[in-house]
């Protein structure tokens, strides 16, 4: 079946389903869903009890499923729930967060790829074009960051214990050439960005505490060279071994100077400083609090 649109002719990919997670995303979700509307067989939105117009907007484009909102319920857990419970007709799944959108170039590449009958891979990495407050962050490790977004449902899973959204695939993976754009309209207000990353800092500190306490391993072997995820986990395993409070400064230096983050200008400085230093410093402070309360249970603080 063919559909005509502004960007030209396209056809529905009958083998593909898209899953989007949302909570209070009325400023983002429409753009995300319009980017997949009309050429994907199934589109699901898993909404965590929003309090704005997210569901009203999403229902124009997708089947909406509501999960009860729980503080601390993380996106990987929600995606994994979706893989296990949504009524898929398809083997191939593309996962998106509400501030991400498929470019026309990526749509065409996906259509060409999934029209093939000889696909040997089980998952595909897609380059993310990271926007921050209206500017493309080209450097500091973000100019060519790959995320595993497209995968065969039957051989893939997420780790509900891991705070990062990372898909683990049994089988070969490859990279696609086109971009996925990530542009959170809410982050144009800096206080939203800070509040969001305070929540992430609590979550990242909890995960590192669990890994230190139980020796919990990642679901794939950290390795360099390796897949993009194996490289990230290899660097994370090194980062975990560095001293608290020193490692955020080292990471900022690496991102801003070695990986040329300074070339992103004033907006880039704000992004790289907040994301690679301030946020990581808050994680370290919270992690130290958790480790101290673990060592001295009588002084244990309440997680909020």
């Amino acid at each position: 079946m063919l559909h005509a649109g502004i960007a030209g002719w396209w056809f529905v990919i009958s083998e593909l389903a898209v899953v989007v997670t949302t909570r209070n995303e009325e400023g983002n979700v429409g753009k995300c869903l319009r980017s997949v509307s009309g050429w994907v067989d199934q589109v699901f939105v898993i909404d965590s009890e929003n309090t704005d117009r997210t569901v009203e907007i999403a229902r124009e484009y997708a089947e909406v499923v509501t999960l009860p909102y729980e503080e601390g319920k993380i996106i990987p857990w929600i995606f994994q729930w979706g893989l296990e419970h949504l009524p898929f007709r398809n083997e191939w799944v593309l996962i998106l967060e509400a501030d991400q959108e498929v470019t026309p170039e990526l749509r065409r590449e996906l259509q060409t790829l999934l029209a093939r009958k000889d696909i040997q891979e089980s998952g595909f990495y897609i380059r993310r074009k990271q926007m921050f407050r209206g500017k493309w962050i080209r450097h500091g490790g973000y100019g060519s960051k790959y995320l595993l977004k497209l995968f065969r449902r039957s051989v893939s899973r997420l780790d509900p214990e891991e705070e990062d959204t990372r898909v683990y695939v049994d089988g070969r993976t490859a990279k696609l050439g086109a971009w996925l754009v990530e542009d959170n309209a809410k982050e144009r207000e800096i206080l939203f960005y800070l509040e969001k990353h305070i929540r992430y800092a609590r979550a990242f500190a909890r995960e590192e505490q669990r890994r230190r306490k139980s020796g919990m391993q990642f679901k794939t072997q950290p390795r360099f060279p390796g897949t993009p995820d194996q490289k990230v986990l290899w660097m994370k395993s090194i980062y975990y071994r560095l001293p608290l409070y020193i490692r955020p400064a080292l990471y900022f230096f690496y991102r801003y100077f070695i990986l040329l983050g300074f070339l992103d200008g004033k907006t880039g400085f704000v992004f790289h400083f907040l994301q690679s230093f301030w946020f990581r410093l808050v994680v370290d402070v919270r992690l130290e609090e958790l480790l101290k309360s673990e060592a001295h249970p009588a002084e244990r603080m309440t997680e909020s």
Side-chain angles (χ1 to χ4, degrees):
M1 182 177 182
L2 293 177
H3 295 256
I6 295 175
W9 290 89
W10 64 82
F11 56 88
V12 172
I13 305 178
S14 59
E15 297 84 5
L16 180 63
V18 170
V19 180
V20 181
T21 59
T22 60
R23 176 169 168 78
N24 295 333
E25 294 286 358
E26 66 177 7
N28 291 312
V29 70
K31 181 171 59 176
C32 172
L33 294 176
R34 283 192 294 272
S35 77
V36 297
S37 178
W39 58 272
V40 171
D41 181 46
Q42 293 180 287
V43 182
F44 297 103
V45 168
I46 307 175
D47 183 77
S48 297
E49 295 185 323
N50 78 92
T51 57
D52 62 9
R53 295 180 57 252
T54 297
V55 168
E56 179 184 342
I57 296 169
R59 282 180 175 151
E60 298 181 28
Y61 307 97
E63 179 178 342
V64 179
V65 177
T66 299
L67 282 182
Y69 176 71
E70 297 177 19
E71 187 67 37
K73 181 179 286 184
I74 57 177
I75 292 177
W77 186 94
I78 297 171
F79 275 130
Q80 184 59 40
W81 182 93
L83 295 181
E84 295 172 359
H85 295 92
L86 293 175
F88 290 104
R89 296 190 291 264
N90 323 91
E91 171 68 350
W92 286 99
V93 175
L94 175 70
I95 60 170
L96 299 173
E97 295 178 26
D99 59 354
Q100 297 173 335
E101 61 178 308
V102 174
T103 61
E105 295 78 14
L106 179 57
R107 166 177 56 79
R108 290 191 290 269
E109 187 170 9
L110 292 173
Q111 289 172 318
T112 300
L113 171 69
L114 296 180
R116 290 168 40 197
K117 303 302 181 185
D118 60 343
I119 303 175
Q120 302 298 312
E121 295 84 2
S122 296
F124 290 89
Y125 287 89
I126 300 173
R127 290 192 297 175
R128 178 181 65 185
K129 185 176 184 178
Q130 178 71 59
M131 306 294 293
F132 179 66
R133 297 168 66 84
K135 179 179 175 62
W136 179 13
I137 304 300
R138 296 170 178 263
H139 306 284
Y142 274 75
S144 58
K145 188 164 186 176
Y146 282 89
L147 306 174
L148 202 152
K149 288 289 191 178
L150 176 69
F151 53 88
R152 295 183 190 269
R153 180 169 51 91
S154 62
V155 294
S156 305
R157 64 206 177 280
L158 290 93
D159 183 358
E161 296 297 322
E162 188 174 358
E163 301 296 339
D164 278 337
T165 302
R166 199 180 319 280
V167 181
Y168 295 92
V169 172
D170 297 328
R172 292 169 52 184
T173 61
K175 296 177 181 178
L176 299 183
W179 295 87
L180 177 76
V181 176
E182 182 170 320
D183 185 10
N184 194 327
K186 295 187 287 185
E187 291 182 356
R188 285 169 172 75
E189 181 182 346
I190 195 62
L191 292 182
F192 170 83
Y193 183 90
L194 298 177
E195 291 165 0
K196 182 180 80 170
H197 280 76
I198 289 290
R199 296 193 301 272
Y200 285 177
R202 290 202 299 263
F204 275 52
R206 285 196 304 267
E207 180 186 350
E208 187 169 350
Q209 180 199 27
R210 292 195 302 269
R211 292 192 185 279
R212 286 171 177 247
K213 183 177 180 179
S214 67
M216 183 173 64
Q217 300 298 308
F218 295 111
K219 298 299 184 184
T220 190
Q221 181 66 36
R223 185 157 54 90
F224 185 86
T227 68
D229 279 325
Q230 287 176 317
K231 293 176 185 177
V232 168
L233 295 179
W234 177 78
M235 293 189 67
K236 182 175 283 192
S237 66
I238 294 173
Y239 186 85
Y240 278 173
R241 295 196 293 270
L242 296 173
L244 298 185
Y245 301 108
I246 294 176
R247 60 189 191 173
L250 293 175
Y251 187 47
F252 172 71
F253 181 86
Y254 172 70
R255 283 262 301 270
Y256 197 67
F257 294 104
I258 305 301
L259 298 184
L260 307 180
F262 65 88
L263 294 177
D264 288 317
K266 180 181 72 174
T267 301
F269 171 76
V270 174
F271 177 83
H272 293 299
F273 178 82
L274 291 178
Q275 208 276 340
S276 63
F277 180 75
W278 173 82
F279 166 61
R280 310 288 168 172
L281 183 62
V282 176
V283 172
D284 281 7
V285 173
R286 182 55 186 156
L287 176 59
E288 185 177 58
E289 291 175 346
L290 293 174
L291 295 175
K292 284 183 177 178
S293 77
E294 185 179 87
H296 305 284
E299 303 175 10
R300 182 166 296 164
M301 294 169 288
T302 302
E303 172 72 24
S304 58

